[in-house]
Amino acid sequence: MMKSATGSRTGTGTWLLQRAAAVVLALVLPGLAIYFLAALPADFTGWQALFAPLWLRVLMLLTASALALHAWVGMRDIFMDYAHPTVLRLTLHLAVILTLAGSVAWLAAILFDTAWSAA
C-alpha cells in the first residue's frame, strides 16, 4: 500500500514536536522579554549594542525557529481539517512553508549580517 502525499499519516510525532516547540517558547520568551525590558535602548546604537552578544543572536534565531515550527504544525493541522481539495491544501502548505522559512531566513540575515556584527 502506498503512502499518501497529502498528509494522511499524522499523529503523536507531530503533536510532540509542537508541544516541544511550545515548551521552548514558554521557557525562552519570558527571559528575552525581561532582558529587553531591562535594557530598553533609546537609540539605534543602543539596539546594536543590545544585539551584539552572539549568544543572544543565536537564542533569537532558535526561538524564531521554534515559533515557526510551532506555527507550521498548527497551520498544517488546520489545513488538513478544513482545506479538503488536495490542490488547495498543498498550495496552502507551500505558502505557509515559504512564508515561515523566509521569515526565519530573513531574521538570520539581519542578526548575522557582517556589517551589523562589526558595530
Side-chain angles (χ1 to χ4, degrees):
M1 181 176 188
M2 291 184 70
K3 292 182 183 178
S4 171
T6 58
S8 65
R9 275 188 41 105
T10 63
T12 308
T14 53
W15 182 85
L16 286 172
L17 192 61
Q18 188 177 37
R19 295 321 180 264
V23 168
V24 168
L25 293 171
L27 293 174
V28 171
L29 288 177
L32 285 174
I34 291 168
Y35 178 77
F36 292 136
L37 289 173
L40 212 56
D43 59 355
F44 183 70
T45 306
W47 282 103
Q48 279 184 317
L50 184 68
F51 281 91
L54 180 62
W55 67 266
L56 178 66
R57 290 182 281 150
V58 170
L59 185 61
M60 290 287 295
L61 189 58
L62 291 174
T63 303
S65 299
L67 180 61
L69 179 62
H70 186 81
W72 160 244
V73 174
M75 294 305 297
R76 184 191 64 91
D77 289 347
I78 290 170
F79 297 153
M80 286 174 41
D81 289 344
Y82 299 108
H84 297 292
T86 303
V87 172
L88 173 63
R89 184 170 53 247
L90 294 178
T91 301
L92 291 170
H93 281 279
L94 181 62
V96 170
I97 289 170
L98 291 175
T99 301
L100 293 173
S103 296
V104 171
W106 187 19
L107 178 64
I110 291 169
L111 289 174
F112 295 100
D113 180 33
T114 55
W116 177 270
S117 301

